[in-house]
Amino acid sequence: RATMKSLRFISAEAFVSNPEFARKSLCGVAHNLFPLLFKASYLLEQGEVIHDLVENWPLVDFNMGKLLGTTVDCQEDLSHRTCSVCLESCLTGLRDYVLNHPSSYMKRLKVVDLTGIKDVEVQFCECKKTMGRWARTQLLSKLCLELLAYLQQTQCNPGTFEISIDVLIDLFVTERNYELVAQALLKKCCCPLKICCVAFRSDNLALQKFFYIIKLTDPLLLRKLEIVHNVRLEMEHLEILFNSMHFPLLMSLTLPARTFNVRRFTATDERMLTNIGEKMAEMTQLTELSMSFSILTGRIQKLLSPLKTPLKVLDVSNCSLNHADMVYLANSFHANHLEALDLSGHNIPDLYPSIFFKLLSHSSSVLRSLTLEDCNMQDTHVNMLILALSPCQKLQELKILGNPLSSQALKHLFTFLCELPMLKNVEFPVPRDCYPIGITYPIDDASLCRFDHQKYESVAEELNLILLQANREDVKASTPLFGSYDAAVQETNNELGAYLIKSFKETLEKFTTSLNKMS
C-alpha cells in the first residue's frame, strides 16, 4: 500500500535497515530524530533497533499513539499494528532504560503512554504475531516485577532508585494473569516503572478478586471501566463498588449481563437503584454507558435522570425496555447528544415506532453509530427505517444483523444508504429468503449457518454493486454471523471457553444434588 513518505523518513528507513550499523550509531544521532527512527523501525519491524532506541530515549515523554500515528514524515497510521516483535522490544527496552546507564542525570523520560495502541482484526505486520491488550498487561507486569527483584538483589547505582516513570496503560485482567498483575500493582510504589491504569477491563474473575484489584489500580485515575464476561456483578455489588470507591474521571462504564433484574425488585432494590443513579451522577465525566442483557423494564428514567452530563454512547441492548423507557430516552437531554446507540433485542416496529422516530430525530445531528440487531425489522418496516434514518446525515455505522429482511428489502435499503455521506460500515443480515421456509426469528445458533450460501453470495454481490454504482466503494458491507470482532474475546477465548465449561459443570452438579435430595 503506497503511502506518502518524506525524504527524511525514507532516509530513516535506510538507516534502520542495517540494524548492526544503526545500533552502533545511535550515540551520534540528534535527539529530535529519535521519534522518526522509532516509527521507521516499527514499520520495518526492526526489533533490536526499537529496543535500543527506547533504552536510550532522550526525550521527556514516549507516547505510542503519537509516535505511530499519522505524522508529517509518514502519513501511514501504525497505531493499529500490535506487532509482537515490536511491542516486546519496546517494553524490554523500557526496562533496560532503567537499568543500563551508569548515571541517571541524562535521563529525562517521565511519561510512557501505551494507551494509543489499537487492537484490530486484520494485522499488516510481516510477522503476523500480535500482542493484544491481555498480553501487554501480562508482559509489563512481569517486567516491573523482574526489574524490582533485580534492583533489590544487585548493587545498583543509587540514582537508579530516583528514576520514576509513569507508564500509562489499558489493563486487561482475567483469572489467568490476576496474581501477576496484582503483585505488580501492589509493589508499584517501589518500582521505577509506575503502572498507571487509565482503562481497566475484567473478564473471568471472581468478585472478591475484582474488588481487590480495582482498588489497586487507583480508581481516582480511571477513565474507562469494563466489567464484561463472567464477572458475577449484581446490583448490590455495584452499589458497594460505588459507595466504597470514587471514580471522578470515569468517562466510560460497561457492566456485565444481568447486573440489573427488575423482575424480582423489592423496596430495597428500588433504594439501591436510586443510590446507584445518584453515584453515577457524581461521575461528571461519564458519557458512555453500556448495560446490555440486564432487565431494566420501566426503570431507565430512575437510573439515568440523575446524570448531570449527557451520554454520548448508550448500549441498552436486550434490556426489555418498555414504552415508558423509550419515551424517557426520546425526551431526555441525552437524546440530543447520542453519538452511538444500541437498541438491539427490542421489537421496535411493533412496540414503539413513533417514539423511535422521535429519538432518532433528536440525535440525528450527532449520531454516528446505530445498532438494531434482532429488532424484528421486516420488509414492511424498511420504508419506516429509511424515513427514520434520513435526517442522520452523520451516520458512519449501521448494524442490523438478525432481522428477517428479504434480499429485495435489503436492496431497497442499500439504495437509500448510498445517500448517507459519512457512512463507512454496514452489517446486514443473511436475507430471510436464503434460509429454509418456516425459519423462526431470532434464529438460534444451531440454525444460523444453515442457509443457502451460494444465494447469499449472489445477494451480497448485488448489494456491493449498488454501492459501487453509486461511487460508494468507501462503504464496507459484511455479515459477521456471530457478531462484530472483539479483540479482547479473541485473545482470551480459550480461557473464556474453559470458564463456561466449568460454570456449566457446576450448574449440572448443583442440579444433580438437588434431584438426589428430592428423591
Side-chain angles (χ1 to χ4, degrees), residues 195-339:
I195 296 177
C196 296
C197 180
V198 176
F200 182 88
R201 173 164 175 152
S202 175
D203 285 11
N204 310 323
L205 199 61
L207 261 183
Q208 193 177 0
K209 291 179 176 179
F210 167 74
F211 270 88
Y212 179 67
I213 202 160
I214 200 72
K215 266 187 183 170
L216 294 178
T217 62
D218 191 356
L220 294 173
L221 301 175
L222 213 56
R223 290 178 196 161
K224 188 172 187 175
L225 176 59
E226 298 169 282
I227 315 161
V228 192
H229 301 292
N230 301 321
V231 181
R232 291 175 182 170
L233 186 91
E234 294 183 6
M235 193 165 59
E236 54 267 38
H237 310 126
L238 186 62
E239 186 185 33
I240 293 166
L241 179 70
F242 287 169
N243 282 341
S244 59
M245 295 175 216
H246 294 288
F247 300 88
L249 299 181
L250 198 69
M251 299 167 72
S252 178
L253 174 63
T254 299
L255 298 171
R258 294 181 292 282
T259 300
F260 303 99
N261 183 359
V262 304
R263 281 187 189 149
R264 53 168 181 74
F265 252 38
T266 63
T268 306
D269 292 325
E270 290 287 1
R271 181 200 55 75
M272 271 196 272
L273 193 67
T274 302
N275 187 28
I276 288 167
E278 288 168 356
K279 288 293 176 185
M280 289 197 328
E282 292 172 12
M283 303 170 193
T284 54
Q285 307 290 312
L286 188 67
T287 56
E288 299 181 8
L289 182 60
S290 173
M291 39 191 182
S292 59
F293 289 93
S294 278
I295 299 172
L296 282 162
T297 316
R299 300 304 196 289
I300 280 286
Q301 183 167 357
K302 181 164 266 195
L303 196 58
L304 300 187
S305 61
L307 300 185
K308 298 177 180 71
T309 310
L311 291 171
K312 292 181 181 178
V313 176
L314 179 62
D315 179 354
V316 282
S317 55
N318 301 282
C319 283
S320 305
L321 302 188
N322 63 14
H323 190 267
D325 293 318
M326 287 296 284
V327 168
Y328 166 72
L329 281 180
N331 293 317
S332 71
F333 78 129
H334 302 293
N336 298 309
H337 298 85
L338 286 173
E339 295 175 13

Side-chain angles (χ1 to χ4, degrees), residues 30 35 124 156 368 402 410 504:
F124 292 104
C156 291
R368 291 182 292 103
L410 285 168
F504 183 61

